[in-house]
Amino acid sequence: MTSTATSLWRFSKTINDCLDRILQPIIRRYGLTVTQAQLLCSVQKSGSSTVGAIAKTLGLACTNTSAMCKKLSQMGFLHRKRRENDKRIVSIMLTDEGQDAAREIEVYMDRIYASQKKNPNLKELENLMDSLVAFSNACQKELKE
């Protein structure tokens, strides 16, 4: 008998592996990893952000996120700037190239999702998404308590 935790980890890994393979054509074009693509899309949604806020959103350590932002800055996707009033805080925003990449990644993902509308199991997929949102919300609530 498989435990709930083992099942969740297995499903999480399977979903991540599938997303990685699905995203390969678009992220390879930009020389990105899946996590770097997620970061760009997160910054695009917020307009600008801080390394700490993005780390929290993506569930990564600040040190890893900071290193990733530095790399993305070197690649021309991000601008990084330390705040004048607090040098510990690094603000980040997308460059024009970063905007283009994030927009293209989002369009690509939307196209993948739209292709599933022809799937005879669409209602099951929508129910699964609703369940994943509910589970995510429950986990976040648990973390706050």
Side-chain angles (χ1 to χ4, degrees), residues 100-116:
D100 291 344
R103 198 172 12 259
E104 193 171 341
I105 291 164
E106 289 286 339
V107 166
Y108 183 84
M109 289 297 292
D110 288 346
R111 201 169 35 237
I112 296 293
Y113 183 75
S115 73
Q116 291 303 307

Side-chain angles (χ1 to χ4, degrees), residues 65-140:
T65 305
S66 181
M68 192 181 325
C69 288
K70 183 176 182 179
K71 173 78 172 165
L72 289 167
S73 178
Q74 292 168 345
M75 295 169 71
F77 293 110
L78 289 179
H79 289 297
R80 295 178 311 137
K81 184 177 181 184
R82 292 204 179 271
R83 294 229 176 124
E84 291 297 322
N85 59 344
D86 189 343
K87 299 290 185 190
R88 296 170 299 170
I89 299 175
V90 178
S91 296
I92 54 176
M93 61 166 83
L94 297 178
T95 62
D96 289 343
E97 186 177 354
Q99 288 279 359
D100 291 344
R103 198 172 12 259
E104 193 171 341
I105 291 164
E106 289 286 339
V107 166
Y108 183 84
M109 289 297 292
D110 288 346
R111 201 169 35 237
I112 296 293
Y113 183 75
S115 73
Q116 291 303 307
K117 294 206 183 260
K118 299 172 191 144
N119 187 327
N121 298 324
L122 179 62
K123 191 63 181 162
E124 283 181 36
L125 291 173
E126 289 172 345
N127 291 339
L128 175 61
M129 288 296 285
D130 291 343
S131 295
L132 288 171
V133 168
F135 180 71
S136 176
N137 291 339
C139 288
Q140 290 173 17

